[in-house]
């Protein structure tokens, strides 16, 4: 009898693992690809800057403000967009987001003045609002909290992979297409890198399913197993209503924590090519190749940290320690500005830490937010945090114009990462560690 019970438990566990593996292979590679295109269109302005500023006679301050103003539009429309996704379904809403941002990103080829630069970057933020928190919300429709950290890490490796792919690709486009049909390389960069987003947006309509119940590629038994996994965690959810998310103090604490992490993310995202070029690398393609190193290392680290977090059922320190590592890496990079090897090494440490903290952070909010509160709360945290995407590049650009150095700006970002590490540890561990 004991043998029979044990055999049944093993068979059930095997069936469960097979079902989640099936879901993961169906969803994660595709969502990962979408995120690669999203992040590439968001930060390719960092590579365009290598030619764009001299062509258009823009200052570092103009660039920093234009790069950052994206997040103002993003902030304003983030919560409404995520609530719309929760109400109307992920398939249509994610498709709408991808197609509209692709069109606007391609329109960057028409930039002639600072005002046009600001307007298009703002509209790009409006178009993309809701994409990332929408995907985080979408994953809660399929995976329970006990599996979500590793899955979120796999999805978010889209950020470093966008760097691994996008760095050499962007450098190659800048060099190879410069002057073709009378267009400078930076215009070709915006045009060519927007096309995959538009195409993939239409694919979303045919490929994604809004919920488990509508997935024709799952059997009735598999659907029941997945629904049971989600139901088992419902008793831990503290907040369900959208209004409850806005009044929950933990949502605001996590917003402050995320702000510090995003200061680091876009410090790297918008300035990494510039920092590598400043170390003595002159060719755009070589700059692109060297950006592969920090992003490649971060991709491996993100998956490893996610596995460790799920295995140990520990979330807070898996955010705090990488954030501290990111701060150390950024600060160290200021001491070796003319040494390419040491500069890339320190920036690799920074990128590993920042992206490691970022991917683990998103295992925390869904642990106590459910239903409409998850849609509103995740979007609120992401929108408030992403205001750092405005502050970070503008601050570094302004300081660089003022001091002719990025050092002080990088120190400010490092301090923000240390603050994020301290803030996340104030969240009670019983709320998130499961």
């Amino acid at each position: 009898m004991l043998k029979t019970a044990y055999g049944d438990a093993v068979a059930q566990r095997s069936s469960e693992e097979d079902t989640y593996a099936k879901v993961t292979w169906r969803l994660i590679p595709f969502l990962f690809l979408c995120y690669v295109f999203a992040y590439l269109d968001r930060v390719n302005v960092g590579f365009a800057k290598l030619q764009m500023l001299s062509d258009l006679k823009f200052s570092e301050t103009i660039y920093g403000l234009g790069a950052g103003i994206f997040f103002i539009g993003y902030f304003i429309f983030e919560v409404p967009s995520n609530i719309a996704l929760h109400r109307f379904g992920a398939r249509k809403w994610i498709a709408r987001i991808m197609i509209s941002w692709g069109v606007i990103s391609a329109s960057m080829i028409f930039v002639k003045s600072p005002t046009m630069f600001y307007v298009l970057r703002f509209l790009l933020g409006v178009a993309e609002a809701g994409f990332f928190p929408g995907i985080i919300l979408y994953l809660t429709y399929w995976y329970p909290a006990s599996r979500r950290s590793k899955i979120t890490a796999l999805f978010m490796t889209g950020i470093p992979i966008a760097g691994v792919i996008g760095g050499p690709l962007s450098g190659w486009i800048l060099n190879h297409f410069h002057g073709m049909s009378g267009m400078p390389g930076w215009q070709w960069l915006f045009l060519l890198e927007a096309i995959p987003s538009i195409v993939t947006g239409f694919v979303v309509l045919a490929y994604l399913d809004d919920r488990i119940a509508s997935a024709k590629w799952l059997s009735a038994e598999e659907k029941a197993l997945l629904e049971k996994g989600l139901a088992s965690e419902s008793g831990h959810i503290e907040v369900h209503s959208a209004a409850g998310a806005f009044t929950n103090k933990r949502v605001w604490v996590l917003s402050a924590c995320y702000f510090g992490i995003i200061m680091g993310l876009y410090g790297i995202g918008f300035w990494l090519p510039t920092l590598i070029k400043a170390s003595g690398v002159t060719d755009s393609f070589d700059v692109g190749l060297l950006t592969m190193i920090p992003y490649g290392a971060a991709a491996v680290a993100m998956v490893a940290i996610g596995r460790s977090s799920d295995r140990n059922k520990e979330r807070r320190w898996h955010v705090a320690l990488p954030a501290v590592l990111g701060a150390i890496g950024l600060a160290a990079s200021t001491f070796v500005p003319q040494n390419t090897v040491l500069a890339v090494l320190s920036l690799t440490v920074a990128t590993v830490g920042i992206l490691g903290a970022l991917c683990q952070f998103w295992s925390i909010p869904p642990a106590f937010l459910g239903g409409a509160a998850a849609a509103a709360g995740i979007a609120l945290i992401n929108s408030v945090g992403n205001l750092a995407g405005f502050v970070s590049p503008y601050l570094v650009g302004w300081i660089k114009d003022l001091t002719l150095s990025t050092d002080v700006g990088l120190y400010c970002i490092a301090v923000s990462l240390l603050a994020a590490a301290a803030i996340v540890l104030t969240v009670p561990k019983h709320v998130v560690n499961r």
Side-chain angles (χ1 to χ4, degrees):
M1 187 173 181
L2 287 174
K3 284 187 177 180
T4 302
Y6 176 75
D8 289 345
V10 170
Q12 183 177 357
R13 179 66 178 172
S14 176
S15 175
E16 181 179 319
E17 292 302 321
D18 288 346
T19 300
Y20 278 108
K22 185 176 181 179
V23 172
T24 299
W25 279 109
R26 170 79 183 192
L27 297 181
I28 299 305
F30 182 71
L31 295 176
F32 166 88
L33 188 66
C34 292
Y35 196 36
V36 167
F37 295 152
Y39 195 75
L40 195 59
D41 283 344
R42 184 186 299 185
V43 302
N44 59 7
V45 69
F47 270 94
K49 170 182 181 287
L50 301 178
Q51 293 180 354
M52 189 179 183
L53 265 62
S54 59
D55 280 2
L56 300 179
K57 305 298 186 290
F58 287 177
S59 68
E60 296 284 353
T61 303
I62 290 173
Y63 165 73
L65 179 58
I69 207 168
F70 166 97
F71 296 97
I72 303 300
Y74 195 84
F75 172 79
I76 294 170
F77 289 92
E78 184 85 322
V79 174
S81 181
N82 222 36
I83 292 175
L85 183 147
H86 181 67
R87 181 176 179 182
F88 299 115
R91 184 175 62 88
K92 292 179 180 178
W93 203 251
I94 291 172
R96 190 283 304 164
I97 289 172
M98 294 192 69
I99 294 167
S100 60
W101 99 49
V103 170
I104 294 170
S105 184
S107 299
M108 290 288 291
I109 67 173
F110 301 113
V111 168
K112 301 293 182 185
S113 66
T115 300
M116 191 179 298
F117 183 42
Y118 300 152
V119 168
L120 285 176
R121 287 291 296 177
F122 176 83
L123 292 177
L124 187 63
V126 172
E128 196 179 320
F131 176 76
F132 174 76
I135 298 297
I136 297 297
L137 177 64
Y138 184 64
L139 293 176
T140 69
Y141 299 160
W142 298 85
Y143 296 94
S146 59
R147 295 177 178 270
R148 212 173 287 143
S149 182
K150 181 178 70 175
I151 293 301
T152 302
L154 286 171
F155 161 64
M156 292 187 66
T157 52
I159 295 177
I161 295 303
V164 170
I165 297 171
L169 176 63
S170 297
W172 179 76
I173 290 173
L174 287 176
N175 282 355
H176 185 75
F177 284 85
H178 186 65
M180 190 176 293
S181 300
M183 288 170 54
W186 64 267
Q187 289 183 328
W188 281 108
L189 178 66
F190 286 123
L191 179 62
L192 294 176
E193 291 188 353
I195 293 172
S197 295
I198 298 171
V199 172
T200 308
F202 286 103
V203 176
V204 166
L205 291 170
Y207 189 81
L208 281 190
D209 297 286
D210 288 330
R211 298 273 186 163
I212 293 170
S214 60
K216 296 179 180 179
W217 44 276
L218 290 171
S219 68
E221 292 78 11
E222 289 168 335
K223 290 179 182 179
L225 189 152
L226 294 171
E227 295 286 6
K228 182 181 178 181
L230 295 178
S232 67
E233 69 170 5
S234 60
H236 298 287
I237 301 300
E238 299 179 359
V239 189
H240 288 274
S241 70
F246 286 93
T247 57
N248 187 279
K249 68 177 183 179
R250 289 184 187 130
V251 170
W252 292 102
V253 167
L254 290 176
S255 296
C257 172
Y258 195 55
F259 185 95
I261 297 172
I262 294 298
M263 283 288 287
L265 177 65
Y266 290 110
I268 288 291
F270 288 125
W271 290 97
L272 183 59
T274 300
L275 294 171
I276 291 177
K277 184 176 181 180
S279 73
V281 183
T282 56
D283 185 85
S284 296
F285 182 66
D286 291 339
V287 171
L289 288 176
L290 287 173
T291 62
M292 293 175 65
I293 298 172
Y295 285 123
V300 175
M302 288 168 75
V303 175
I305 294 170
R307 289 181 183 277
S308 171
S309 180
D310 277 347
R311 183 173 61 253
N312 295 290
K313 291 185 167 49
E314 199 293 317
R315 312 302 181 189
R316 302 181 311 155
W317 285 102
H318 281 79
V319 175
L321 292 179
V324 171
L325 185 66
I328 292 171
L330 282 179
S333 71
T334 65
F335 294 99
V336 288
Q338 303 303 317
N339 187 313
T340 301
V341 173
L342 293 179
V344 171
L345 178 62
S346 58
L347 291 169
T348 297
V349 171
T351 306
V352 165
I354 291 164
L355 291 178
L358 178 71
C359 72
Q360 287 315 295
F361 174 87
W362 284 110
S363 66
I364 294 177
F368 64 92
L369 297 172
I378 290 170
L380 177 63
I381 292 167
N382 194 58
S383 60
V384 171
N386 269 288
L387 284 177
F390 171 77
V391 175
S392 181
Y394 181 65
L395 176 69
V396 177
W398 176 72
I399 290 174
K400 186 176 181 183
D401 275 343
L402 195 66
T403 66
L404 301 181
S405 171
T406 57
D407 289 2
V408 176
L410 294 177
Y411 293 146
C412 291
I413 293 172
V415 170
S416 298
L417 288 165
L418 294 176
I423 291 169
V424 75
L425 294 176
T426 67
V427 180
K429 64 180 180 180
H430 73 270
V431 173
V432 297
N433 286 353
R434 61 174 187 272

